[in-house]
Amino acid sequence: MEQIIPFNKPHITGKEVHYIYDAVASGHISGNGKYTKLCQSFFEERFGFKRALLTTSCTDALEMCALLLDIKAGDEVIIPSYTFVSTALAFVRQGAKIVFADSRSDHPGMDEERIEELITAKTKVIVPVHYAGVSCDMAKIMTLANKYNLFVVEDAAQGIDSYYINTDGTKAALGSIGHLAAFSFHETKNIQSGEGGLLAINDERFIKRAEIIWEKGTNRAEFFRGEVNKYGWVDTGSSFLPSEVTAAFLWAQLEELDLIQEKRILLWNTYFSAFTNSDLREVRLPSIPHYATVNGHMFYLVCNNEEVRSGLISKLKRDTIHSVFHYLSLHSSPYYKDKYIGKELVNSDKYSQAIVRLPLFFDLSVMDVELVLKKVKEFVK
Amino acid sequence: MEQIIPFNKPHITGKEVHYIYDAVASGHISGNGKYTKLCQSFFEERFGFKRALLTTSCTDALEMCALLLDIKAGDEVIIPSYTFVSTALAFVRQGAKIVFADSRSDHPGMDEERIEELITAKTKVIVPVHYAGVSCDMAKIMTLANKYNLFVVEDAAQGIDSYYINTDGTKAALGSIGHLAAFSFHETKNIQSGEGGLLAINDERFIKRAEIIWEKGTNRAEFFRGEVNKYGWVDTGSSFLPSEVTAAFLWAQLEELDLIQEKRILLWNTYFSAFTNSDLREVRLPSIPHYATVNGHMFYLVCNNEEVRSGLISKLKRDTIHSVFHYLSLHSSPYYKDKYIGKELVNSDKYSQAIVRLPLFFDLSVMDVELVLKKVKEFVK
């Protein structure tokens, strides 16, 4: 029987269950225990976030951003249309009007040159999404935000250990640039805990309130630091914190971040360097801007149109290789299309129809990638 | 060294990590896999819920209720003031005005006789909280709800495997009576997964939409059942579903539900039968209404006043026994007191000052309980 190459297989380092045993033995299994603190410190120290708070999902981290920024009915939030539902939903839940930005023509990330025309007196937040872990032009976006006094929330769901390269050559970790940022540890991500997320806070003004919102609107954190003598309901919030079981699982993954990244980037480079665009004809390679690094999260090809994509996916499926398409433009989703009054978003629609993602996960071998490449070559020639 | 008796110690059956291994090995670690389905079917079959959906917390299950009931700014929701923050917060996040009900004089549950006077044209939901797993008078509450066309959301955070006894002697599981209900699997609960919750749906009209709201507002469930040929953004929602790691942990606990309940109820009865109220003088026993069962979730005493309670807690602490107070009235919390315009809620305030909870957990022995009882007796005599 021929070997099936799945699109994704969640990687397990082997220590997850060991650390879960340890958490369970400690008797503290609810949130904000030893492993939560280990994970949070890791993110703060390695990526320079002022404060990191684990959440049960990236959606929840984005909801915390919406609550921290006091998003209310009528506020406008600029997000790319080519993104996962949660980027919009977290702000919609607070009553925001979503203003959808188009993607760049060369890249699925939001077109930084077209943001300014979307800003109105009601605009409160810009949410750049680092698609495939490839940075948006953060210098441009932060300059715009400063000019119009807006907040920036980085949707870094796919952006762990990826960087924006400043003009002087220094690097800033994705998630460390905007006022706030959100990461995902869904099983499809480089580092995963099944479901899971992280809020990164770079603007220190938000730290104290974030701790309150995280713990159901109570000042429990201050209580346990001895700053108040009882704790109670002081603000809005939710139960955003994951259990120590989830945090222990995540810690095992974080310990192997470098190894995981090395392997994923190797696979990504194997894909990327196998072709030139002229070899590919009806499909093209991803374009990586000069200010962005690659974190090996995802390798995709851009097909000339939906028919070519369907053909490629079908061809690979016959060869027992599982490749998949990705987002559908949110501005034309069943939920939003009647509310949408902006321009046609041609690039977002193009990527909705054109992107195909190829298998890329830690346990994939370079030989597997070469097999996928062989089959893609059979299709494009 | 004297043995310390903690207030709570989360129970581990021993199979949690085994099932987590199995989930991990299956390659499906994100939400809605095998263990999620096992847990959900268990609740549906054992307690008669029409549909059960695991959530990351009881707070999240209550938020799902608020979304399903389309709670909007101006809507009024009646909840007891003597409850955990989340009961109110889930509705506050959607813009509801909270109308606080007082507790009964004989029991911390909401006073069913005083609900009707709180109903206005804007009232949309009544949220009875089954304090300590002891049922509210659900017949009275459902009759009121029908009369005024209101929804009932049972906050059954503490109510697993506890029952409302109908006048004909038949029993209905808590969470199976209202239109919707929420359970908690926080480490302090009878059945726990560190953090965790469950939405129970009894009114079938909510099932389809609940599945959508659960999965980030997408019709993913319909897609995987083959009812639609692609899935996208169709409604509001969030990422409410826990990982298979969490569900696998919970499944190990559910398998031992009967054993856990038997032990907890034995301990509860040991406490309850040790005294009469006349023995206790300045404290009194919990009052269990004739229509309610005991699920061994919590054993508490009601002190005559805050000084007596402080004295008892201090005395037990000197004897290395950890006892704790409980909620503070939400209507007088820092977050709500300026918004609160209703009457004084004397019973809620009384329980805020008077309740002391004694150690009660699976791994506690009857001998431990007898030691606690001995020390309580020293205090009350």
Side-chain angles (χ1 to χ4, degrees):
Chain A
M1 203 183 88
E2 203 164 2
Q3 192 205 345
I4 293 168
I5 299 183
F7 170 65
N8 181 53
K9 183 171 168 288
H11 173 57
I12 307 299
T13 70
K15 284 197 176 169
E16 288 82 359
V17 173
H18 172 74
Y19 291 141
I20 290 172
Y21 257 121
D22 181 54
V24 160
S26 82
H28 181 143
I29 315 176
S30 61
N32 202 10
K34 168 178 141 185
Y35 285 100
T36 298
K37 289 177 174 73
L38 276 171
C39 292
Q40 292 177 173
S41 296
F42 177 93
F43 282 102
E44 289 162 8
E45 285 160 25
R46 175 150 176 155
F47 301 117
F49 311 146
K50 294 285 196 315
R51 186 83 170 96
L53 292 172
L54 293 189
T55 57
T56 54
S57 65
C58 186
T59 310
D60 274 30
L62 289 165
E63 286 185 9
M64 286 189 73
C65 296
L67 291 171
L68 282 167
L69 299 175
D70 280 325
I71 296 300
K72 289 184 178 62
D75 289 342
E76 295 182 2
V77 179
I78 299 174
I79 73 163
S81 180
Y82 193 72
T83 184
F84 188 57
V85 176
S86 295
T87 317
L89 197 48
F91 295 93
V92 165
R93 258 192 92 182
Q94 296 310 113
K97 177 185 168 190
I98 304 299
V99 176
F100 288 108
D102 205 358
S103 297
R104 293 164 58 115
S105 61
D106 62 339
H107 184 269
M110 71 203 294
D111 188 342
E112 299 86 356
E113 299 300 332
R114 307 291 296 277
I115 296 172
E116 192 162 12
E117 67 198 56
L118 301 174
I119 296 172
T120 74
K122 293 180 177 171
T123 307
K124 207 156 173 186
V125 193
I126 303 170
V127 187
V129 178
H130 302 302
Y131 185 79
V134 173
S135 182
C136 295
D137 190 336
M138 291 308 293
K140 274 193 188 149
I141 290 171
M142 295 310 290
T143 301
L144 260 184
N146 288 334
K147 180 174 170 189
Y148 291 96
N149 202 23
L150 307 176
F151 290 108
V152 173
V153 172
E154 295 178 71
D155 184 337
Q158 307 168 7
I160 192 169
D161 199 37
S162 198
Y163 298 84
Y164 174 76
I165 306 168
N166 296 297
T167 46
D168 64 3
T170 58
K171 290 176 184 174
L174 299 192
S176 74
I177 306 162
H179 301 83
L180 301 166
F183 289 85
S184 170
F185 309 122
H186 186 264
E187 68 170 29
T188 49
K189 301 305 185 292
N190 295 24
I191 293 294
Q192 60 97 17
S193 56
E195 306 277 347
L198 179 88
L199 171 70
I201 303 171
N202 303 310
D203 184 331
E204 296 184 21
R205 291 174 297 176
F206 293 113
I207 293 176
K208 191 175 164 190
R209 190 164 180 233
E211 290 174 346
I212 289 169
I213 287 174
W214 191 54
E215 292 236 42
K216 307 161 196 85
T218 70
N219 54 348
R220 195 168 175 274
E222 291 172 289
F223 176 74
F224 281 104
R225 284 197 297 260
E227 295 164 19
V228 293
N229 62 7
K230 63 183 177 182
Y231 78 90
W233 188 16
V234 296
D235 204 340
T236 187
S238 184
S239 186
F240 287 116
L241 72 178
S243 71
E244 280 289 286
V245 175
T246 300
F249 192 111
L250 187 65
W251 178 244
Q253 299 258 320
L254 286 175
E255 282 192 324
E256 295 207 356
L257 176 62
D258 288 327
L259 181 68
I260 291 168
Q261 291 299 90
E262 190 181 354
K263 175 71 183 289
R264 293 188 74 118
I265 292 168
L266 169 69
L267 298 176
W268 193 95
N269 284 330
T270 306
Y271 274 126
F272 191 72
S273 58
F275 301 113
T276 64
N277 276 326
S278 58
D279 296 333
L280 283 165
R281 294 152 47 110
E282 290 193 300
V283 301
R284 66 175 172 79
L285 292 167
S287 157
I288 308 301
H290 62 88
Y291 50 75
T293 66
V294 161
N295 71 344
H297 172 60
M298 178 206 300
F299 188 82
Y300 65 89
L301 294 169
V302 184
C303 300
N304 271 3
N305 56 54
E306 200 163 7
E307 288 65 46
V308 173
R309 180 173 75 176
S310 297
L312 177 54
I313 290 173
S314 298
K315 149 72 180 163
L316 292 175
K317 193 174 178 187
R318 286 193 299 274
D319 295 322
T320 67
I321 294 163
H322 193 200
S323 64
V324 293
F325 56 86
H326 210 185
Y327 308 132
L328 301 173
S329 291
L330 292 184
H331 73 285
S332 46
S333 66
Y335 187 65
Y336 225 89
K337 65 183 174 199
D338 296 336
K339 306 178 185 77
Y340 184 69
I341 49 166
K343 293 182 190 168
E344 212 183 336
L345 303 179
V346 292
N347 292 325
S348 177
D349 289 342
K350 177 183 78 180
Y351 291 112
S352 296
Q353 295 170 3
I355 277 185
V356 57
R357 294 178 291 160
L358 302 181
L360 200 171
F361 49 90
F362 183 84
D363 297 316
L364 198 69
S365 68
V366 172
M367 270 179 63
D368 292 329
V369 170
E370 282 166 355
L371 176 65
V372 177
L373 285 166
K374 178 167 169 266
K375 300 300 178 183
V376 172
K377 279 176 186 165
E378 288 172 10
F379 179 79
V380 294
K381 78 168 177 221
Chain B
M1 203 183 86
E2 203 164 1
Q3 192 204 346
I4 293 167
I5 299 183
F7 170 65
N8 181 53
K9 182 171 167 289
H11 173 57
I12 306 299
T13 69
K15 283 198 177 169
E16 288 82 359
V17 173
H18 173 72
Y19 290 140
I20 289 172
Y21 257 122
D22 181 53
V24 160
S26 81
H28 181 144
I29 314 176
S30 62
N32 203 9
K34 168 179 142 186
Y35 286 100
T36 299
K37 289 177 175 72
L38 276 171
C39 292
Q40 293 177 172
S41 296
F42 177 92
F43 282 102
E44 290 161 9
E45 284 160 25
R46 176 151 175 154
F47 300 117
F49 311 145
K50 294 285 196 315
R51 185 83 170 95
L53 292 173
L54 293 188
T55 57
T56 54
S57 64
C58 185
T59 311
D60 274 31
L62 289 164
E63 288 185 8
M64 284 189 74
C65 296
L67 292 172
L68 282 167
L69 299 175
D70 280 324
I71 297 300
K72 290 184 179 60
D75 289 342
E76 295 181 2
V77 179
I78 299 173
I79 72 164
S81 181
Y82 193 72
T83 184
F84 189 57
V85 176
S86 295
T87 317
L89 197 48
F91 295 94
V92 165
R93 256 192 93 183
Q94 295 311 112
K97 177 185 167 190
I98 304 300
V99 176
F100 288 107
D102 204 358
S103 297
R104 294 164 58 113
S105 62
D106 62 339
H107 185 268
M110 70 202 295
D111 188 343
E112 299 86 355
E113 299 301 329
R114 307 291 297 276
I115 296 172
E116 192 162 12
E117 66 197 57
L118 302 173
I119 295 172
T120 75
K122 292 180 178 171
T123 306
K124 209 157 173 186
V125 192
I126 304 171
V127 187
V129 178
H130 302 302
Y131 185 78
V134 174
S135 183
C136 296
D137 189 337
M138 291 308 294
K140 275 193 188 149
I141 291 171
M142 295 310 291
T143 301
L144 262 185
N146 288 333
K147 180 174 170 190
Y148 291 97
N149 202 22
L150 307 176
F151 291 107
V152 172
V153 173
E154 294 179 72
D155 184 337
Q158 306 168 8
I160 193 169
D161 199 37
S162 199
Y163 299 83
Y164 174 76
I165 306 168
N166 295 298
T167 46
D168 65 3
T170 58
K171 291 177 183 172
L174 299 192
S176 75
I177 305 163
H179 302 83
L180 300 166
F183 289 85
S184 171
F185 309 123
H186 186 264
E187 68 170 31
T188 49
K189 302 304 185 293
N190 295 23
I191 293 294
Q192 59 97 18
S193 56
E195 305 277 348
L198 178 88
L199 170 70
I201 303 171
N202 302 310
D203 183 331
E204 296 185 21
R205 289 173 297 175
F206 293 113
I207 293 176
K208 190 176 164 189
R209 191 165 178 231
E211 291 174 346
I212 288 169
I213 286 173
W214 191 54
E215 291 236 42
K216 306 161 196 88
T218 69
N219 54 347
R220 195 167 175 274
E222 291 172 288
F223 176 74
F224 281 104
R225 285 198 297 262
E227 295 164 19
V228 292
N229 62 9
K230 62 182 177 182
Y231 79 89
W233 189 16
V234 297
D235 205 338
T236 188
S238 184
S239 185
F240 286 116
L241 72 177
S243 70
E244 279 290 285
V245 175
T246 301
F249 192 110
L250 187 66
W251 178 244
Q253 299 259 321
L254 287 176
E255 282 191 325
E256 295 206 357
L257 176 62
D258 288 327
L259 182 68
I260 290 168
Q261 292 299 91
E262 190 182 354
K263 175 70 182 289
R264 293 189 74 118
I265 291 169
L266 169 69
L267 298 175
W268 193 94
N269 284 332
T270 306
Y271 275 124
F272 191 73
S273 58
F275 302 113
T276 63
N277 276 327
S278 58
D279 297 332
L280 283 165
R281 295 151 48 107
E282 290 193 299
V283 301
R284 65 174 173 80
L285 292 167
S287 157
I288 307 300
H290 62 88
Y291 50 75
T293 65
V294 161
N295 71 345
H297 172 61
M298 178 205 301
F299 187 82
Y300 65 89
L301 294 169
V302 184
C303 300
N304 271 3
N305 55 53
E306 199 163 7
E307 288 65 45
V308 173
R309 180 173 75 176
S310 297
L312 177 53
I313 290 174
S314 298
K315 151 72 181 161
L316 292 176
K317 193 173 177 186
R318 286 192 299 275
D319 294 322
T320 68
I321 294 163
H322 193 200
S323 65
V324 294
F325 57 86
H326 209 184
Y327 308 132
L328 302 173
S329 291
L330 291 184
H331 73 286
S332 45
S333 66
Y335 187 66
Y336 225 88
K337 65 183 174 199
D338 296 335
K339 305 177 185 77
Y340 183 70
I341 49 166
K343 293 183 189 168
E344 213 184 336
L345 303 179
V346 292
N347 293 324
S348 177
D349 289 343
K350 178 183 77 179
Y351 291 113
S352 296
Q353 294 169 5
I355 277 185
V356 57
R357 294 178 290 160
L358 301 181
L360 200 171
F361 48 91
F362 183 85
D363 296 317
L364 197 69
S365 68
V366 172
M367 272 179 61
D368 293 330
V369 170
E370 281 165 355
L371 177 65
V372 177
L373 284 166
K374 177 166 169 266
K375 301 300 179 182
V376 171
K377 279 175 187 167
E378 288 172 10
F379 178 79
V380 296
K381 77 165 176 225

